[in-house]
Amino acid sequence: LDPLGPFGAASDLAVGVSGGADSMALALLTARWSAARGGSVLALVVDHGLRPASGDEAALTLRRLAELGVPGRLLRLFGLRHGPALAERAREARYAALISACRAAGIAHLLLGHHAGDQAETVLMRRLGGSGGAGLAGMAAVSELECVRLLRPLLGVPAGRLRATLREGGTGWIEDPSNRDPATLRARLRAERSDPEGDGAGTLELIKRAVAAGGTRSERERAIAADLAEHAAMHPEGFALLSSGPIPAPALAALLQAIAGSRYPPSLRQVATLAAAPAPATLGGVRLLPAGRMGPGLLMVREEAAQAPPVPARPGTRWDGRFRLGAHAATHAQALLGALGSAAAGLRRHSPLPSAVLRSLPALRLADRLLAVPHLGYPDAATCRDLPLTFCPRRPAAG
């Protein structure tokens, strides 16, 4: 854990615990590490409800954690159903529940138990999917999110060592049958690796390559950050100003991803021509147009037609992958959060920003009545203080 810091002298940590050997070992090791530094650990146990035995397994896991002296909290998921993309849907729901629990507890570090075998399988899956160099770096040991840091301290540790640690301490674990389900690609790759201990030559070589690719990825992200600092200025209303002249394609792709709130950037092949000679265009859900009175260069703003539809304006809600409503926002139960759109025409006196930017701003409505546009201070400062909206795309322009 030390290289993944910095941590405070007595940091509070959370550990996502499925009940399997990897996460149970992580909980045990983290508790020892934290106790030596005067900190505390909270285990978050997610019951996905996808198998009849999941509730009993979660209860058993909490009892085992208590025997280790690790306090636990049960998080139940509702609404998951078997069907297409179940693994992805379950993962997103699990991560959302874990992050929400960390936010509620004021914990900034969330540890996950992915080990060397998981990393090797991730690299293989991305290789089969035609991933580029960034994807072949596998899972990152540190992922900075808007309210927590995801830490994966066991990525270089074989699974066999984790099981041996639990056996040595007399701690049991749960074997999830879905980990052997041949219907999933990860389970098939795990079977083909024929390396249950996770310390075979093939697994170790994949880990070695992932580490090298991760170093390359870090260097590239530092270069992107430097290029963006030179060529672009990001604004809290979710738009950017791009200076005149060429910009490296990776930097422009990262900027497009941030402004669109997308999960992934457009391909460099799509971006290359525009980066070499920036000009008015629409790409990846973003419009580039002359900056006009805002100065030389181009304005980059979210494409209006590509924006997400309105969503319930609940505290903590993210809209369009770009704006998040504050966790303690004082919203009306029936209010919706969506684009300001054509209503921008009546609010021009509130801001000198171009119409394209105003129309893309997030706004709160109750039925057809406009309640607030926090970025414009509408209807008044007091109301907007109670409805904080922050531009925080899924991935920052420079990671």
Side-chain angles (χ1 to χ4, degrees):
L1 267 172
D2 286 339
L4 306 185
F7 301 96
S11 292
D12 294 332
L13 307 175
V15 180
V17 181
S18 66
D22 47 1
S23 61
M24 286 296 295
L26 177 62
L28 172 62
L29 295 168
T30 304
R32 291 176 180 172
W33 183 90
S34 184
R37 291 159 177 79
S40 66
V41 175
L42 174 65
L44 300 174
V45 180
V46 178
D47 176 11
H48 49 66
L50 291 171
R51 290 184 287 105
S54 68
D56 292 338
E57 291 171 352
L60 174 59
T61 298
L62 288 168
R63 290 197 298 273
R64 285 171 171 165
L65 289 165
E67 291 170 1
L68 296 174
V70 179
R73 181 176 301 168
L74 179 63
L75 308 176
R76 287 192 173 91
L77 303 183
F78 298 97
L80 278 176
R81 298 288 184 270
H82 290 276
L86 174 61
E88 181 179 353
R89 289 186 286 111
R91 181 174 62 252
E92 289 186 356
R94 183 170 62 251
Y95 276 34
L98 290 170
I99 291 169
S100 177
C102 286
R103 182 189 293 123
I107 295 176
H109 301 93
L110 171 62
L111 280 63
L112 303 176
H114 299 107
H115 52 67
D118 296 324
Q119 182 73 303
E121 291 154 12
T122 298
V123 173
L124 288 172
M125 292 171 68
R126 293 183 179 179
R127 183 184 296 173
L128 290 172
S131 180
L136 294 180
M139 292 177 281
V142 180
S143 298
E144 306 280 358
L145 304 184
E146 62 198 53
C147 61
V148 300
R149 302 175 75 231
L150 290 185
L151 306 181
R152 298 181 176 91
L154 302 179
L155 288 178
V157 182
R161 287 184 59 189
L162 300 176
R163 290 192 290 268
T165 297
L166 293 178
R167 292 191 190 100
E168 180 71 17
T171 300
W173 65 86
I174 294 166
E175 294 287 355
D176 186 345
S178 64
N179 290 333
R180 300 186 299 274
D181 183 358
T184 66
L185 175 58
R186 186 176 288 275
R188 294 196 300 272
L189 291 173
R190 183 172 298 137
E192 291 174 7
R193 280 197 304 115
S194 301
D195 181 16
E197 297 302 303
D199 57 2
T203 297
L204 296 179
E205 179 61 24
L206 286 169
I207 297 301
K208 180 180 177 181
R209 293 183 182 182
V211 170
T216 301
R217 178 170 63 187
S218 295
E219 292 174 4
R220 182 171 58 253
E221 289 186 345
R222 283 193 291 270
I224 288 173
D227 289 332
L228 289 174
E230 180 180 352
H231 294 279
M234 185 73 80
H235 290 254
E237 295 86 359
F239 72 96
L241 288 174
L242 190 64
S243 63
S244 301
I247 178 174
L252 181 58
L255 196 55
L256 288 165
Q257 179 185 4
I259 294 173
S262 303
R263 293 188 181 279
Y264 306 102
S267 71
L268 294 183
R269 186 170 57 248
Q270 291 177 292
V271 175
T273 300
L274 186 61
T282 299
L283 179 62
V286 176
R287 290 182 62 198
L288 286 80
L289 58 159
R293 66 177 181 274
M294 298 198 71
L298 293 171
L299 178 70
M300 297 181 64
V301 64
R302 180 72 163 124
E303 181 187 2
E304 187 174 355
Q307 289 179 309
V311 297
R314 300 190 181 97
T317 291
R318 186 196 297 271
W319 169 72
D320 197 39
R322 302 181 299 131
F323 289 95
R324 184 168 63 83
L325 192 59
H328 303 291
T331 62
H332 190 284
Q334 303 300 318
L336 295 177
L337 175 62
L340 179 58
S342 59
L347 300 177
R348 294 299 301 273
R349 68 184 184 278
H350 290 268
S351 172
L353 292 173
S355 176
V357 172
L358 295 180
R359 294 177 67 93
S360 71
L361 291 177
L364 291 98
R365 289 181 170 86
L366 184 60
D368 295 329
R369 181 164 64 92
L370 187 63
L371 293 179
V373 187
H375 286 86
L376 299 182
Y378 175 87
D380 54 64
T383 299
C384 293
R385 279 196 299 271
D386 291 336
L387 297 169
L389 265 169
T390 306
F391 176 61
C392 52
R394 288 190 176 98
R395 184 179 183 276

